[in-house]
Amino acid sequence: MEQVNKRVTLIFTVVTLILVGGLVIYAFFIAGSGGVKVRLQENKLRVQAMMCDVTCGLDEIERVELRQDYDLGRRTNGFGNMRMKSGAFKNDELGSYRCATVTSSEWVILVHIRNDQPLVFNQATGEDTQAFYQQLQSALPAA
């Protein structure tokens, strides 16, 4: 009987280690590999990433800024690995805000939304982020 218990314990331990290892690999290497998706459509800005999905009307945007090497602060709820950081964040400048960034770009777009939390996002490269910033600036209604 004791031999059976040891065998069951060993099998349970091995299965648990395999599952935990798989989850760690998923969290660090696979999850979030979809990156950040941004779209301008029908007078709206939509930003999607793991644990962040924000849509706002272009007329709700007070201003946008292009920033380099922005201090994201700390994640209060969301997702982060070597490739991306997304979800709810907090820093000294903005307080609470929403974030959808990939770590491969040193540039971010900061969107101040009327009556809502700010949004910080970027694209896969600095060049792509700067190009989308220009596209967003052009799409905004004249003040």
Side-chain angles (χ1 to χ4, degrees):
M1 189 66 161
E2 188 175 316
Q3 188 73 1
V4 171
N5 285 341
K6 284 184 180 180
R7 185 174 182 154
V8 169
T9 301
L10 178 64
I11 291 171
F12 179 77
T13 302
V14 169
V15 169
T16 301
L17 288 173
I18 290 171
L19 288 174
V20 169
L23 287 173
V24 168
I25 289 170
Y26 174 78
F28 282 103
F29 298 106
I30 299 171
S33 61
V36 178
K37 296 178 182 145
V38 295
R39 288 188 301 246
L40 284 172
Q41 59 188 29
E42 301 172 16
N43 294 318
K44 292 183 188 262
L45 167 66
R46 181 156 191 201
V47 177
Q48 293 175 288
M50 182 172 274
M51 302 206 56
C52 183
D53 189 350
V54 177
T55 302
C56 70
L58 296 179
D59 59 344
E60 298 173 59
I61 296 176
E62 293 177 338
R63 71 181 192 280
V64 295
E65 301 175 50
L66 182 65
R67 302 269 191 100
Q68 187 175 20
D69 298 322
Y70 188 71
D71 177 17
L72 296 177
R74 64 182 177 86
R75 183 176 62 246
T76 58
N77 185 24
F79 175 81
N81 67 10
M82 294 182 295
R83 293 184 185 166
M84 74 179 309
K85 301 188 181 325
S86 64
F89 277 66
K90 187 174 191 172
N91 68 14
D92 290 338
E93 178 187 2
L94 301 174
S96 295
Y97 71 96
R98 291 163 301 175
C99 178
T101 59
V102 292
T103 58
S104 58
S105 175
E106 71 281 2
W107 291 89
V108 299
I109 298 170
L110 169 54
V111 179
H112 299 272
I113 304 168
R114 186 178 313 110
N115 301 320
D116 205 349
Q117 289 182 332
L119 171 64
V120 173
F121 70 95
N122 65 8
Q123 295 289 268
T125 68
E127 293 80 20
D128 291 343
T129 302
Q130 292 173 36
F132 189 82
Y133 170 78
Q134 294 299 327
Q135 185 182 356
L136 179 56
Q137 280 282 88
S138 298
L140 291 177

